[in-house]
Amino acid sequence: MIQSDTVRNTINFVLFQAGWFACVLYPGLPAVGFVLLLIGFHLAFISQHRMAELQFIGAGAVIGGVLDGVWFQTGILDDGTGSVELTPVWLIGLWAIFMTTLSHSLSWINSRAWLPFVCAPFAGPFAYWSASKLGAVELPDQTMSLVALAVGWLIVFPALLYLRKFLYPELAR
């Protein structure tokens, strides 16, 4: 296990970015396999509480997958075919790799209680907008989609931090 917080956080950030780009540029099972390898590396070399973090990653992937599923069902997001019945597996992979950042490279967001409420409504929709520009998803009505995504992230991001703090306190620093 890597001892330096700075090195762990830097590697975590790089792993997340690699996973995000893999999923967005090559949405499908191969990208998810790559993300699983990245998460395995993360758990082996970065995580200090492997089982708790694995559970937290799983919980967040389910919560995020359900949220994305709602967005697909309501037309906030589209995959270009208009026929998504379940959340695409690559988006669940994205949620899983994102969850690794909450106790590492994004742990700074807990420094002020208001930060998650200010950052999430912008950062979350920006990620989906970026993915739409790279062709991974579509925002059928861009304004409505971005507003809905902002509201969703305003709720889910602080909820994930709350979940971590109270169910997995060893992960909260």
Side-chain angles (χ1 to χ4, degrees), residues 66-101:
V66 168
L67 182 61
D68 281 347
V70 168
W71 285 333
F72 275 102
Q73 292 300 311
T74 58
I76 300 302
L77 295 177
D78 194 284
D79 71 340
T81 68
S83 65
V84 171
E85 294 184 22
L86 297 173
T87 303
V89 68
W90 64 270
L91 270 169
I92 296 169
L94 262 179
W95 276 100
I97 196 74
F98 169 71
M99 294 302 293
T100 69
T101 68

Coordinates of all heavy atoms in Angstrom, one line a residue, residues 66-101:
V66 N -29.2 3.7 -10.5 CA -30.6 4.0 -10.4 C -30.9 5.4 -10.9 O -31.9 5.6 -11.6 CB -31.1 3.7 -9.0 CG1 -32.6 4.2 -8.8 CG2 -31.1 2.2 -8.7
L67 N -30.1 6.4 -10.4 CA -30.4 7.8 -10.8 C -30.2 7.9 -12.3 O -31.1 8.5 -13.0 CB -29.4 8.7 -10.1 CG -29.5 10.2 -10.3 CD1 -30.9 10.7 -9.9 CD2 -28.4 10.9 -9.6
D68 N -29.2 7.4 -12.9 CA -29.0 7.4 -14.4 C -30.2 6.7 -15.1 O -30.7 7.2 -16.1 CB -27.7 6.9 -14.8 CG -26.5 7.8 -14.6 OD1 -26.8 9.0 -14.3 OD2 -25.4 7.4 -14.7
G69 N -30.6 5.6 -14.5 CA -31.8 4.9 -15.1 C -33.0 5.8 -15.1 O -33.8 5.8 -16.1
V70 N -33.2 6.5 -14.0 CA -34.4 7.4 -14.0 C -34.2 8.5 -15.1 O -35.2 8.8 -15.8 CB -34.5 8.1 -12.6 CG1 -35.5 9.2 -12.6 CG2 -34.9 7.0 -11.6
W71 N -33.0 9.0 -15.2 CA -32.8 10.0 -16.3 C -33.0 9.5 -17.7 O -33.5 10.2 -18.5 CB -31.4 10.6 -16.1 CG -31.3 11.6 -14.9 CD1 -32.3 12.3 -14.4 CD2 -30.2 11.9 -14.2 NE1 -31.9 13.0 -13.3 CE2 -30.5 12.8 -13.2 CE3 -28.8 11.5 -14.2 CZ2 -29.6 13.3 -12.2 CZ3 -28.0 12.0 -13.3 CH2 -28.4 12.9 -12.3
F72 N -32.6 8.3 -17.9 CA -32.9 7.7 -19.2 C -34.4 7.5 -19.4 O -34.9 7.7 -20.5 CB -32.1 6.3 -19.4 CG -30.7 6.5 -19.9 CD1 -29.7 6.4 -19.0 CD2 -30.5 6.8 -21.2 CE1 -28.4 6.6 -19.4 CE2 -29.2 6.9 -21.7 CZ -28.1 6.8 -20.8
Q73 N -35.1 7.0 -18.4 CA -36.5 6.7 -18.5 C -37.3 8.0 -18.7 O -38.4 7.9 -19.3 CB -37.0 5.9 -17.3 CG -36.5 4.5 -17.2 CD -36.9 3.7 -18.4 OE1 -38.0 3.6 -18.8 NE2 -35.9 3.0 -19.0
T74 N -36.9 9.1 -18.1 CA -37.6 10.3 -18.2 C -37.2 11.2 -19.4 O -37.7 12.3 -19.6 CB -37.5 11.1 -16.9 OG1 -36.1 11.4 -16.7 CG2 -38.1 10.4 -15.8
G75 N -36.2 10.8 -20.2 CA -35.7 11.5 -21.3 C -34.7 12.6 -21.0 O -34.4 13.4 -21.9
I76 N -34.2 12.6 -19.8 CA -33.2 13.6 -19.5 C -31.9 13.2 -20.3 O -31.2 14.1 -20.7 CB -32.9 13.7 -18.0 CG1 -34.2 14.1 -17.3 CG2 -31.7 14.6 -17.6 CD1 -34.8 15.4 -17.7
L77 N -31.6 11.9 -20.3 CA -30.5 11.4 -21.0 C -31.0 10.4 -22.1 O -32.1 9.9 -22.0 CB -29.6 10.6 -20.1 CG -28.8 11.3 -19.0 CD1 -28.0 10.3 -18.2 CD2 -27.9 12.4 -19.6
D78 N -30.2 10.3 -23.2 CA -30.6 9.3 -24.2 C -29.3 8.7 -24.7 O -28.2 9.4 -24.7 CB -31.3 10.1 -25.4 CG -32.0 9.2 -26.3 OD1 -31.2 8.6 -27.2 OD2 -33.2 9.0 -26.3
D79 N -29.3 7.5 -25.2 CA -28.1 6.9 -25.8 C -28.1 7.0 -27.3 O -27.2 6.4 -27.9 CB -28.1 5.4 -25.3 CG -29.1 4.5 -26.0 OD1 -30.1 5.1 -26.6 OD2 -29.0 3.3 -26.0
G80 N -29.0 7.7 -27.9 CA -29.0 7.8 -29.3 C -30.0 6.9 -30.0 O -30.4 7.1 -31.1
T81 N -30.4 5.8 -29.3 CA -31.4 4.9 -29.9 C -32.8 5.2 -29.3 O -33.8 4.8 -29.9 CB -31.0 3.4 -29.5 OG1 -31.2 3.2 -28.1 CG2 -29.6 3.1 -30.0
G82 N -32.8 5.9 -28.2 CA -34.1 6.2 -27.5 C -34.8 5.0 -26.9 O -35.9 5.0 -26.5
S83 N -34.0 3.9 -26.8 CA -34.7 2.6 -26.3 C -34.0 2.0 -25.1 O -34.1 0.8 -24.8 CB -34.7 1.6 -27.4 OG -33.4 1.2 -27.7
V84 N -33.3 2.8 -24.3 CA -32.6 2.3 -23.1 C -33.6 1.9 -22.1 O -34.4 2.7 -21.7 CB -31.6 3.3 -22.5 CG1 -31.0 2.8 -21.2 CG2 -30.4 3.5 -23.5
E85 N -33.6 0.7 -21.6 CA -34.5 0.2 -20.6 C -33.8 0.1 -19.2 O -34.4 0.3 -18.2 CB -35.1 -1.1 -21.0 CG -36.0 -1.0 -22.2 CD -36.7 -2.3 -22.5 OE1 -36.8 -3.2 -21.6 OE2 -37.1 -2.4 -23.7
L86 N -32.5 -0.2 -19.3 CA -31.7 -0.2 -18.1 C -30.5 0.7 -18.2 O -30.2 1.1 -19.4 CB -31.2 -1.6 -17.8 CG -32.2 -2.7 -17.6 CD1 -31.5 -4.1 -17.5 CD2 -33.0 -2.5 -16.3
T87 N -30.0 1.1 -17.1 CA -28.8 2.0 -17.2 C -27.7 1.2 -17.9 O -27.4 0.1 -17.6 CB -28.3 2.4 -15.8 OG1 -29.4 3.0 -15.1 CG2 -27.1 3.3 -15.8
P88 N -27.1 1.9 -18.9 CA -25.9 1.2 -19.6 C -24.8 0.8 -18.6 O -24.5 1.6 -17.7 CB -25.5 2.2 -20.6 CG -26.6 3.1 -20.8 CD -27.4 3.2 -19.5
V89 N -24.3 -0.3 -18.8 CA -23.3 -0.9 -17.8 C -22.1 0.1 -17.7 O -21.5 0.2 -16.6 CB -22.9 -2.3 -18.2 CG1 -22.1 -2.4 -19.5 CG2 -22.2 -3.0 -17.0
W90 N -21.7 0.7 -18.8 CA -20.5 1.6 -18.7 C -20.8 2.8 -17.8 O -19.9 3.3 -17.2 CB -20.1 2.1 -20.1 CG -21.1 2.9 -20.8 CD1 -22.1 2.5 -21.6 CD2 -21.2 4.4 -20.8 NE1 -22.8 3.6 -22.1 CE2 -22.3 4.7 -21.6 CE3 -20.5 5.3 -20.1 CZ2 -22.7 6.1 -21.8 CZ3 -20.8 6.7 -20.3 CH2 -21.9 7.0 -21.1
L91 N -22.1 3.2 -17.7 CA -22.4 4.3 -16.7 C -22.3 3.8 -15.3 O -21.8 4.6 -14.4 CB -23.8 4.9 -17.0 CG -23.8 6.1 -18.0 CD1 -25.2 6.4 -18.4 CD2 -23.1 7.3 -17.4
I92 N -22.6 2.6 -15.0 CA -22.5 2.0 -13.7 C -21.0 1.9 -13.4 O -20.5 2.2 -12.3 CB -23.2 0.7 -13.6 CG1 -24.7 0.9 -13.8 CG2 -22.9 0.0 -12.2 CD1 -25.5 -0.3 -13.9
G93 N -20.2 1.5 -14.4 CA -18.7 1.5 -14.2 C -18.2 2.9 -13.9 O -17.3 3.1 -13.0
L94 N -18.7 3.9 -14.5 CA -18.3 5.3 -14.2 C -18.6 5.7 -12.8 O -17.8 6.3 -12.1 CB -19.1 6.3 -15.2 CG -18.3 6.8 -16.4 CD1 -19.2 7.7 -17.2 CD2 -17.0 7.4 -16.0
W95 N -19.8 5.3 -12.3 CA -20.2 5.6 -10.9 C -19.2 4.9 -10.0 O -18.8 5.4 -9.0 CB -21.6 5.2 -10.7 CG -22.6 6.2 -11.1 CD1 -23.4 6.3 -12.2 CD2 -22.9 7.4 -10.3 NE1 -24.1 7.4 -12.2 CE2 -23.9 8.1 -11.1 CE3 -22.5 8.0 -9.1 CZ2 -24.4 9.3 -10.7 CZ3 -23.1 9.2 -8.7 CH2 -24.0 9.9 -9.5
A96 N -18.9 3.6 -10.3 CA -18.0 2.9 -9.4 C -16.6 3.5 -9.3 O -16.1 3.7 -8.2 CB -17.9 1.4 -9.9
I97 N -16.1 3.9 -10.5 CA -14.7 4.6 -10.4 C -14.8 6.0 -9.8 O -13.9 6.4 -9.1 CB -14.0 4.6 -11.8 CG1 -12.5 4.9 -11.7 CG2 -14.7 5.6 -12.8 CD1 -11.7 3.7 -11.2
F98 N -15.9 6.7 -10.0 CA -16.1 7.9 -9.3 C -16.2 7.8 -7.8 O -15.6 8.6 -7.1 CB -17.4 8.6 -9.8 CG -17.8 9.8 -9.0 CD1 -17.1 11.0 -9.1 CD2 -18.9 9.7 -8.1 CE1 -17.5 12.1 -8.4 CE2 -19.3 10.8 -7.4 CZ -18.6 12.0 -7.5
M99 N -16.8 6.7 -7.3 CA -16.9 6.5 -5.9 C -15.5 6.4 -5.2 O -15.4 6.8 -4.1 CB -17.7 5.3 -5.6 CG -19.2 5.4 -6.0 SD -20.0 6.8 -5.2 CE -20.0 6.2 -3.5
T100 N -14.5 6.0 -6.0 CA -13.2 5.9 -5.4 C -12.6 7.2 -5.0 O -11.8 7.4 -4.2 CB -12.2 5.1 -6.3 OG1 -11.9 5.9 -7.4 CG2 -12.7 3.8 -6.7
T101 N -13.1 8.3 -5.7 CA -12.5 9.6 -5.5 C -13.0 10.3 -4.2 O -12.4 11.2 -3.7 CB -12.8 10.6 -6.7 OG1 -14.3 10.8 -6.7 CG2 -12.4 10.0 -8.0

